[in-house]
Each structure stands twice: as C-alpha cells, then as structure tokens.
Amino acid sequence: MIAACLLILCNSFNMQAQQTDNQLRVSYSTTKDTTITNSHHEPKSVLHREQVSHHLKDDRNKYLNQKAENKKDSNIIIDNTGVNNKRFEGSLYSEVNYGRHGDLDSPDLLDLPHFIINGHLHLGKGWTVVAELEYEQFYENKQWEYKFDGNFTSNKLYIAKDFSKAFSAKAGIIEVPVGIVNAGGPALTIYDPESESNIIPMSWHEGGASIYGSLGKWDYQIGGYIYTSLPLKNSQMLGGATRLNYYPINGLRMGVSSYWGTPCKSQYHRQDLNFLGTDGLWYGTFDFDYQENGWIIDGSAIYCTDQSAKSAGIEIGYDFFETTEKTDKMELIPFMRYDGLFHLGELNFNKYTVGINFSPLKNLVVKGEYAIRHHQGGFEEGEKATWHSFDIGVSYTWEF
C-alpha cells in the first residue's frame, strides 16, 4: 500500500519536473537531448537539463569511501547507507558555473542557483526512505530562465527494504541505472559527458520498483517502471531496466546495462524529443571505471535503437594528492576526456576536453575545463564546424 501511494505521488512530481534536456539541437551546448534532432532545427537553450554529474562529484567522494570498504560502486550501497547508525542523514549541494561557448550568438552562460538536497531516513529493521530534490536556474541568451516546472525536479522519492546483502527492494521514484553516470559512477567534467547526455536522459528516473543485491564479485539491479495515474486504469507500463556489475580486481568495475520500453509518457517522452514512430525503445551499454592509487579512468559505449544512435566516451585523471598526507583534505585532479557521437552521418562529432578539479577543503571543489568539438553536419548538410568552450565552476556540499 505504501509503495502504491508513493507511485501515484511520484507521477505528480514527475509531471511537474518536465526536463528540458536538449543538448544537441544544432549548436554546441551542454544540454542533454536524449535523441538527436534534425540538424535544420533552430538552436535551443544551452543549459536546460536535469543535472547529475555535478552532485555526482559529491557522490564520487562517497563512492571512494565505499570503495575502500567494499571495492564496489553501486546505487545499492549509496541508496542504503546507514553504517553510522544515524536515524537521518542528508546533504545540501550548491554550485555556481560560468561558461563561454564560442558557437553561440550570446556566448555567456551562467548556472545559478543550483541546489540539490537529499536525505535518507532510516526507519529500522532495514527500512529506509530516500528523497532527492533539485532546483537549477540558468542565464542564457541574455535572459534568466524563471519557469519553475522546467527548473525543478524530484530525482528520487522511494522506500527501500534491505532483506540481506544479496537481496533488497525499493519502490517509488527510482533511478534507471543505464549508463555510467546514471548508475552513480565517476564523471570529472563540469557538465554531464556528452557521449551519454546526448543519448540517455541524465538523472533518469521513473516511477517503479526494483530489486538489487551483491553476490561475491557481482552486483545486480532489475527494475520495472510504470506511469501511474488516477483513475488507475489510465496507468501504463513503461518498461524495464537491468544492470550487472563485476569487480575482478580492487578498484576496477565493469558493467553492462539495458533498458527496453516505450517512450510514451516516460521521462524520455517528456523531453519533447523527436521520434521515428517506433513502438519500442532499447538501450544497450557497456561501461567501466578504475579508481586506485590516484588514478581515475572510466568510459562507456552506448547503443540506442531510436535512430540507431551510438556513442563512446573515455576519460582519465590523476589525483596528485592521493599519495600524500593531505589526501583526506585536498584533491588536485587534472584530466583528459574524449566523447564521440555516431549518428546517421549527420550529427557525428568528436569532442576533446582537458580540465582540472581542485578541492582545497573537504566538500569544496573548484573546476575548470576547455573543450574543442569537431562537428560533422551542422546547420546545413555536410557542413563541418569546430566549436570551442570554456567553463569554470565552484561547488560546496553541506552534510548533515
């Protein structure tokens, strides 16, 4: 009964949280379009998206702490914390980002304010309630975006029960763990990696239920997702997702994930994307990450049946303070990244990014990066373009 009530509540939240994730409309942008649109469309807003990789910088710290104990990184662990026996724990993440993107008529971009608040309420006997809410506002095209239902989203709102290490369950607004970012993996760039954000909804979440657990060097997650409505006869099954991770050695995770379902009424649909009229949608992904001895190396490859979109991305960074006595307080991580999108010969691109993440104090991070994007198929068929961008950001996480 609790799960059913949560699912109905989830739908009302999600209907308000209409993600406007449109990353590849024609112009270079850091938005997140989960399907590539026609190259003759007018450029859309640059930063309309539901942000994940920002607060995953905080999640990455949790990830590293968990890895030290478990050598694993999954939402299974993140979603079911409580090792400190606190009744309630949470965090408030805030950040400010500024960028200049040379391909735009108005290149100045400001991401302010951006808040993410999340909490875990431990009810005892393995029961946990998890919530995560996000608000983000942008200055672009020489104006502020004030539309609340486009800036606010409920990323998570569910109840979970741990039966054992091998089996747990949750129901409500839950994540769709497809791709490395949605599964809680590392992401060193300021904004979500384009090789994922152009194909998959970022912070992908739907109303539904899932089971998950760990077995030796393996962990798994299987979820089913439903669009709930009143009257209940208008509810609709959206699809299902699976994830399987394997940890062969310390610090290394390799995973596969997939999603099959309908785009109708899902987060995929709410982003006002263009479809080819397909009844079903399928994703298949492979991703990995290695985090050991200061090295952070990760990558992913994705295939989507919608327009046969394909992408690949890989990044490598090194924390120079990892082996020093200041490692618990400071981080200095220069990195390089490659993102590629391969789509019907019109919107192919190769993007190269160099950047640095510096954390002088715990929970305080200063970020900067420069990127070059070589684009095939711009405003007119066959057009080639090279676009440049520069972004800086400051973030802080308050834990309570």
Side-chain angles (χ1 to χ4, degrees):
M1 179 63 69
I2 295 177
C5 293
L6 272 175
L7 282 176
I8 295 174
L9 180 61
C10 294
N11 177 62
S12 64
F13 272 103
N14 279 332
M15 290 300 292
Q16 293 179 357
Q18 300 177 17
Q19 283 76 31
T20 52
D21 303 343
N22 300 306
Q23 182 171 10
L24 250 187
R25 286 290 182 178
V26 171
S27 66
Y28 165 78
S29 68
T30 50
T31 58
K32 305 181 299 189
D33 194 310
T34 57
T35 289
I36 312 309
T37 60
N38 189 300
S39 62
H40 297 286
H41 286 180
E42 290 299 319
K44 295 291 184 178
S45 300
V46 175
L47 288 176
H48 285 318
R49 83 242 181 280
E50 176 188 1
Q51 181 59 28
V52 169
S53 63
H54 297 319
H55 70 271
L56 280 177
K57 303 304 184 297
D58 175 53
D59 281 350
R60 189 179 67 80
N61 293 331
K62 296 180 181 179
Y63 168 89
L64 291 173
N65 293 333
Q66 292 154 1
K67 181 176 69 66
E69 299 178 2
N70 304 281
K71 303 302 180 183
K72 295 186 177 182
D73 78 311
S74 72
N75 286 316
I76 295 169
I77 299 173
I78 293 175
D79 289 340
N80 297 279
T81 56
V83 294
N84 55 10
N85 296 319
K86 292 175 63 176
R87 174 68 67 178
F88 178 81
E89 56 187 338
S91 66
L92 174 62
Y93 176 90
S94 62
E95 70 170 356
V96 178
N97 295 317
Y98 170 78
R100 289 187 63 85
H101 293 216
D103 58 293
L104 302 178
D105 293 335
S106 178
D108 293 293
L109 310 169
L110 185 59
D111 184 354
L112 173 75
H114 184 193
F115 298 106
I116 300 172
I117 184 168
N118 64 74
H120 293 64
L121 176 62
H122 305 286
L123 304 177
K125 297 184 178 181
W127 289 95
T128 307
V129 176
V130 176
E132 181 178 280
L133 306 176
E134 180 174 3
Y135 181 83
E136 187 171 19
Q137 184 173 286
F138 312 100
Y139 175 82
E140 54 187 342
N141 299 323
K142 298 182 179 180
Q143 63 181 356
W144 287 97
E145 291 289 339
Y146 288 114
K147 190 175 181 180
F148 181 81
D149 60 357
N151 297 338
F152 171 81
T153 183
S154 53
N155 294 337
K156 298 178 183 179
L157 181 59
Y158 64 80
I159 186 168
K161 168 64 175 176
D162 291 333
F163 296 95
S164 68
K165 183 178 180 181
F167 182 79
S168 299
K170 57 187 171 185
I173 298 179
I174 60 175
E175 75 285 348
V176 182
V178 176
I180 190 171
V181 174
N182 284 329
L188 294 174
T189 52
I190 291 179
Y191 296 108
D192 298 319
E194 286 200 48
S195 58
E196 294 207 350
S197 63
N198 278 302
I199 296 182
I200 302 177
M202 294 286 92
S203 281
W204 195 357
H205 56 269
E206 307 286 357
S210 69
I211 59 173
Y212 52 94
S214 299
L215 298 168
K217 292 186 177 182
W218 299 84
D219 67 40
Y220 70 92
Q221 184 167 345
I222 303 172
Y225 306 92
I226 187 171
Y227 172 83
T228 57
S229 179
L230 293 175
L232 292 177
K233 66 180 182 179
N234 293 332
S235 298
Q236 180 178 342
M237 187 68 184
L238 296 178
T242 60
R243 167 162 286 274
L244 184 65
N245 291 322
Y246 175 58
Y247 307 84
I249 60 175
N250 288 348
L252 176 62
R253 180 201 60 83
M254 298 185 294
V256 292
S257 59
S258 67
Y259 173 86
W260 183 90
T262 173
C264 181
K265 297 182 179 179
S266 65
Q267 183 180 342
Y268 201 87
H269 172 76
R270 285 193 300 272
Q271 295 169 353
D272 296 325
L273 305 174
N274 293 336
F275 297 97
L276 296 179
T278 55
D279 294 329
L281 177 72
W282 183 81
Y283 283 106
T285 78
F286 168 78
D287 51 69
F288 77 94
D289 61 81
Y290 177 78
Q291 300 193 58
E292 196 74 16
N293 300 320
W295 291 101
I296 302 172
I297 307 172
D298 62 86
S300 65
I302 302 170
Y303 174 78
C304 177
T305 55
D306 188 12
Q307 304 189 52
S308 297
K310 296 174 282 289
S311 73
I314 188 169
E315 68 183 1
I316 179 171
Y318 181 76
D319 183 3
F320 282 95
F321 290 143
E322 174 72 15
T323 57
T324 71
E325 295 181 356
K326 298 181 179 180
T327 183
D328 60 331
K329 297 181 179 180
M330 301 181 66
E331 287 184 339
L332 181 64
I333 309 175
F335 69 91
M336 299 181 296
R337 181 174 183 91
Y338 165 79
D339 292 283
L341 179 69
F342 317 102
H343 171 76
L344 298 179
E346 286 188 358
L347 292 175
N348 296 350
F349 72 77
N350 293 286
K351 180 182 178 183
Y352 306 90
T353 305
V354 293
I356 191 166
N357 290 354
F358 175 55
S359 179
L361 302 171
K362 182 181 178 181
N363 296 338
L364 176 64
V365 182
V366 180
K367 301 162 284 187
E369 65 186 47
Y370 172 78
I372 299 177
R373 185 164 172 242
H374 302 291
H375 184 208
Q376 172 79 39
F379 296 98
E380 297 180 359
E381 185 175 357
E383 179 184 357
K384 293 184 179 180
T386 299
W387 294 335
H388 304 262
S389 64
F390 173 74
D391 295 279
I392 58 174
V394 180
S395 65
Y396 183 78
T397 302
W398 175 49
E399 298 176 335
F400 52 88

